[in-house]
Amino acid sequence: MTPEEYVEEVLRLVEAIPEGRVMSYGAVADALADRSGRNSARQVGNIMARHGGAVPWHRVVNSAGRMPPGHEQEARQLLLSEGVPLKGDRVDIAKASWTP
């Protein structure tokens, strides 16, 4: 899979995350690892930072449930409007996590 194809696959997977659910950057990388030959949460984060504006970017959080840096308030509002369970300032990963 080319780097461009990987970007498209990441965005396609994020687009498929149902409303009210989330995935971590690492979970996105893991879900695509067999097909892509890549498995880097950091790479997924970079893709989301550069290309994620057209997909539900707020549904991708870090493994501790922290929302995208610099966009916490907007992400929090979007996630709450979708009914995503929170624990303080983080997503409750145990309740909100989605696996394709």
Side-chain angles (χ1 to χ4, degrees):
M1 182 178 294
T2 68
E4 294 81 15
E5 290 169 332
Y6 187 64
V7 168
E8 290 301 317
E9 287 299 312
V10 167
L11 297 176
R12 191 177 345 271
L13 178 55
V14 171
E15 186 72 38
I17 300 170
E19 188 172 307
R21 305 299 294 273
V22 299
M23 289 183 79
S24 70
Y25 298 101
V28 171
D30 288 347
L32 298 174
D34 288 343
R35 290 184 295 158
S36 69
R38 296 170 174 81
N39 192 1
S40 168
R42 186 172 301 227
Q43 189 173 21
V44 170
N46 286 333
I47 289 168
M48 292 303 298
R50 290 186 178 135
H51 308 285
V55 298
W57 56 269
H58 58 282
R59 296 181 190 154
V60 183
V61 297
N62 78 8
S63 61
R66 290 190 192 117
M67 294 162 220
H71 303 281
E72 295 90 350
Q73 286 185 335
E74 184 181 1
R76 180 182 178 83
Q77 290 175 342
L78 290 166
L79 292 170
L80 284 172
S81 74
E82 293 182 1
V84 173
L86 302 180
K87 276 186 174 178
D89 63 346
R90 298 179 185 189
V91 170
D92 186 340
I93 293 288
K95 292 181 180 175
S97 183
W98 180 74
T99 304

